[in-house]
Structure formats: C-alpha cells, structure tokens
Amino acid sequence: MASALRTVMTVSIGAAAALGASASAANATPAVSLAPVQVEPALAAAVPAAVGPVMTASLNPLAGTGFNPIDNAVGTQIGDLPVSTSMITGQIADGTNLQELLGR
C-alpha cells in the first residue's frame, strides 16, 4: 500500500511540475530593461568603511604582553656593520597596524 501511494504521489508531482512549466511559459511577460545602476558612488563609500578596521587593527595582538613570540631578535656584526632581524620584525613586534606599516 505504501509503495502504491509513493508511486501516485510521484506521478502527480511530476504532472503538476510539467503543467506548471507549460503554463508559466505561455504566460511569460517580456523582459523589462532596467536603467543602469550607478554602483561606483556606493562602492566608493563602502570600501573605505569596510577596509578601515582592517587597516587600523593591530597586526600583532600579543604586542605589549608578556608572551610575544615575534618580539625576539637575532643580531651579529659583520666587520663594522651590525646586522639584526629587529629591523624587519621590530615594527610588527611593537604592535603596529597596516596603515602605519604602509605609511598612509
């Protein structure tokens, strides 16, 4: 009995879908052309608002804490020239943000 009910339901759903597709094709309205939308002003206002928090967020959230894995430097001296990794990792280890790092 359950399989017969499933068969009837499947056939009736398929028939309804076929009739609905042919009816909607017959009553289809012609496509409406829309005026072009100016996205540029909205985008110009939205991008700085979305990117602003990213630019001002700290690149190293552990800066200034007791546990800062980036706050380490290795240095040596080659002849009279001191060489250190703090020149590269110093600003990030101190907690700078992307805006300061890019100089904006």
Side-chain angles (χ1 to χ4, degrees):
M1 177 81 166
S3 65
L5 183 60
R6 264 186 262 150
T7 305
V8 170
M9 291 297 290
T10 304
V11 170
S12 63
I13 290 172
L19 288 175
S22 65
S24 65
N27 296 329
T29 58
V32 177
S33 64
L34 299 174
V37 177
Q38 296 256 343
V39 178
E40 191 171 320
L43 193 59
V47 169
V51 175
V54 173
M55 294 291 284
T56 58
S58 176
L59 293 176
N60 182 11
L62 297 175
T65 64
F67 181 74
N68 188 355
I70 301 176
D71 190 19
N72 55 10
V74 176
T76 188
Q77 187 164 347
I78 301 174
D80 291 336
L81 180 66
V83 179
S84 174
T85 59
S86 66
M87 291 173 42
I88 297 171
T89 61
Q91 283 185 314
I92 296 172
D94 292 339
T96 189
N97 58 32
L98 194 57
Q99 191 172 14
E100 292 172 0
L101 196 62
L102 295 175
R104 293 185 182 181

